[in-house]
Amino acid sequence: MQWDHILVACDDSPAGLHAARIAERIAHAAEARLSVLTVLESTAEAASEPVAHLKPIVAYGVPGIEIVRVTDEIGADLVVLGRTVSEDSPEPRLGSTADAVARRSRVPCLFVPHGQDRLEHLVVALDGTERGLAVLTGAREFMARWGGDLEVVTVELGADAGTLDTAVPSSHHLRIARALGGPDRGEVPAVRILRGEPTTGIRENLAHPDRDLLVIGARRGGPVGLPQGSTGVGRRLLHFAPCAVLTIPL
């Protein structure tokens, strides 16, 4: 996975302009190229002054489609967007553009809430599958470019919520342990093993103020928004996490 070209998609909203500032910091730290994109409804529009000042690529159409199209066209390795969550419905809903990009993107996407500047402590959510371990690889590569530290969280389904006794390994835990270990993998991160419903357990773990960035796997496709009764842990965490979220395509 490369991290050499970052694309930030923004508008003149506080969340959009904040995403541009964060993307600039990441690009500087990672010594990566930075491109800025704004999407307008029609050619009759012009970018507002705060966005025009960033000298963006200008595309026209539906943002959730155009952001992914431009990402592929310019060969960007990471997409950065602002993250807003609507509280107007019984359950929070991620902004429609962020939701569409997360479902379509072939590259990692970083969704940053307005007002969050720290990205120093990464929480990597693993499901214990071989495919899901790509999330850990992506998180380590991001951290190597950006800095910070890393913690792994996984959930063992069980009747009682809480922390699981890590002295009792399962095949789920052993796969994660193998992925974490080895002299060529650098410092072994802390591992927190929880029991209960995954979305609830991981959200509670993220409530600590030192946890800045959740890293999750993302599968392409799926319906718009968060369907009623959805059990997709990654999709639900993207909607409900209280901090920035980095999605790694699976």
Side-chain angles (χ1 to χ4, degrees):
M1 191 176 297
Q2 301 295 314
W3 302 89
D4 297 325
H5 189 180
I6 297 170
L7 174 68
V8 57
C10 70
D11 54 19
D12 59 3
S13 68
L17 295 174
H18 181 67
R21 289 190 290 270
I22 292 296
E24 184 177 15
R25 287 173 51 197
I26 293 173
H28 178 75
E31 299 182 342
R33 176 185 174 192
L34 176 64
S35 295
V36 179
L37 169 68
T38 192
V39 181
L40 305 178
E41 288 186 3
S42 72
T43 55
E45 284 189 277
S48 64
E49 178 56 32
V51 177
H53 178 72
L54 301 173
K55 299 180 179 179
I57 300 167
V58 179
Y60 302 94
V62 179
I65 295 174
E66 290 302 306
I67 291 169
V68 176
R69 181 187 68 77
V70 173
T71 299
D72 294 343
E73 187 176 275
I74 69 174
D77 305 309
L78 171 69
V79 180
V80 181
L81 297 94
R83 182 171 183 267
T84 56
V85 176
S86 170
E87 300 291 349
D88 296 336
S89 56
E91 290 189 323
R93 290 289 185 266
L94 193 70
S96 59
T97 297
D99 180 76
V101 172
R103 289 185 292 106
R104 292 185 171 101
S105 180
R106 296 178 176 84
V107 302
C109 297
L110 174 63
F111 302 94
V112 185
H114 178 232
Q116 180 178 334
D117 295 312
R118 283 169 41 103
L119 295 172
E120 298 173 7
H121 186 86
L122 285 67
V123 176
V124 185
L126 299 183
D127 62 6
T129 65
E130 293 291 343
R131 185 184 187 190
L133 293 175
V135 179
L136 177 60
T137 300
R140 278 177 153 155
E141 290 170 348
F142 180 83
M143 186 181 69
R145 290 294 194 99
W146 169 251
D149 60 86
L150 185 151
E151 166 190 357
V152 170
V153 173
T154 188
V155 179
E156 181 80 7
L157 295 177
D160 300 320
T163 302
L164 181 68
D165 182 358
T166 57
V168 184
S170 68
S171 58
H172 176 104
H173 306 145
L174 292 174
R175 278 193 295 271
I176 294 173
R178 285 196 297 270
L180 294 173
D184 60 334
R185 298 183 184 272
E187 184 178 352
V188 177
V191 181
R192 187 180 297 270
I193 302 174
L194 308 175
R195 294 187 69 176
E197 196 281 316
T199 306
T200 301
I202 294 171
R203 284 180 67 193
E204 290 175 352
N205 184 69
L206 292 170
H208 193 286
D210 287 342
R211 292 176 171 89
D212 308 314
L213 176 61
L214 172 66
V215 188
I216 58 175
R219 291 175 173 82
R220 297 182 67 215
V224 174
L226 188 65
Q228 186 69 27
S230 170
T231 57
V233 175
R235 289 292 301 280
R236 292 185 67 81
L237 286 171
L238 178 58
H239 278 254
F240 297 142
C243 60
V245 179
L246 175 66
T247 60
I248 304 296
L250 296 177

